[in-house]
Amino acid sequence: MINTASGFEEVERELLELISIGAQERVARDQESPQRLKCIEGLRAIGVTSEAMEAMRVIHVTGTKGKGSTCSMIESVLRYHGVKTGLFTSPHLVCMTERIQINGQPISKQAFCDCFNRVKQAL
């Protein structure tokens, strides 16, 4: 388990390498694409049930400009109305932890490392 500042930097470096590899691959848009099925298998591997996946209410914003702003505005409106929110944006501006927010707050470096290690170990 990683729990130091240098440990966070190690996790950040490893994740950025994985993102770079993934960005080079073409992602099919078909509902039964190997990439989508691999994602579902990954969610199951970390303990997310089919029922939980179906119960998730997700807004997925795509396009070339303004996705981060759009997601931030939607998240803010939902939170204002009492909805518990999770937000993932990319890229980050200052620290990788700001990519993942729960109820408007970036997760801690410790939580980021713990989640990364949990997913890495499961996959």
Side-chain angles (χ1 to χ4, degrees), residues 10-61:
E10 178 184 327
V11 165
E12 185 178 33
R13 188 172 31 261
E14 189 172 346
L15 184 57
L16 286 171
E17 287 175 13
L18 290 171
I19 291 170
S20 295
I21 292 167
Q24 295 170 10
E25 298 175 1
R26 182 179 177 129
V27 178
R29 299 200 191 309
D30 180 40
Q31 286 295 315
E32 297 304 318
S33 70
Q35 292 86 352
R36 182 176 182 278
L37 295 174
K38 193 172 186 179
C39 181
I40 290 170
E41 289 172 14
L43 288 169
R44 287 189 179 129
I46 60 171
V48 179
T49 65
S50 297
E51 293 80 18
M53 283 186 247
E54 289 185 25
M56 287 182 198
R57 296 180 296 175
V58 175
I59 298 172
H60 182 187
V61 178

Side-chain angles (χ1 to χ4, degrees), residues 61-74 87 89-90:
V61 178
T62 65
T64 56
K65 301 282 184 205
K67 295 178 296 295
S69 299
T70 300
C71 289
S72 293
M73 285 187 279
I74 292 169
L87 175 66
T89 58
S90 179

Side-chain angles (χ1 to χ4, degrees), residues 72-88:
S72 293
M73 285 187 279
I74 292 169
E75 187 273 341
S76 179
V77 169
L78 290 171
R79 197 166 19 93
Y80 176 82
H81 288 283
V83 176
K84 181 177 181 179
T85 61
L87 175 66
F88 173 79

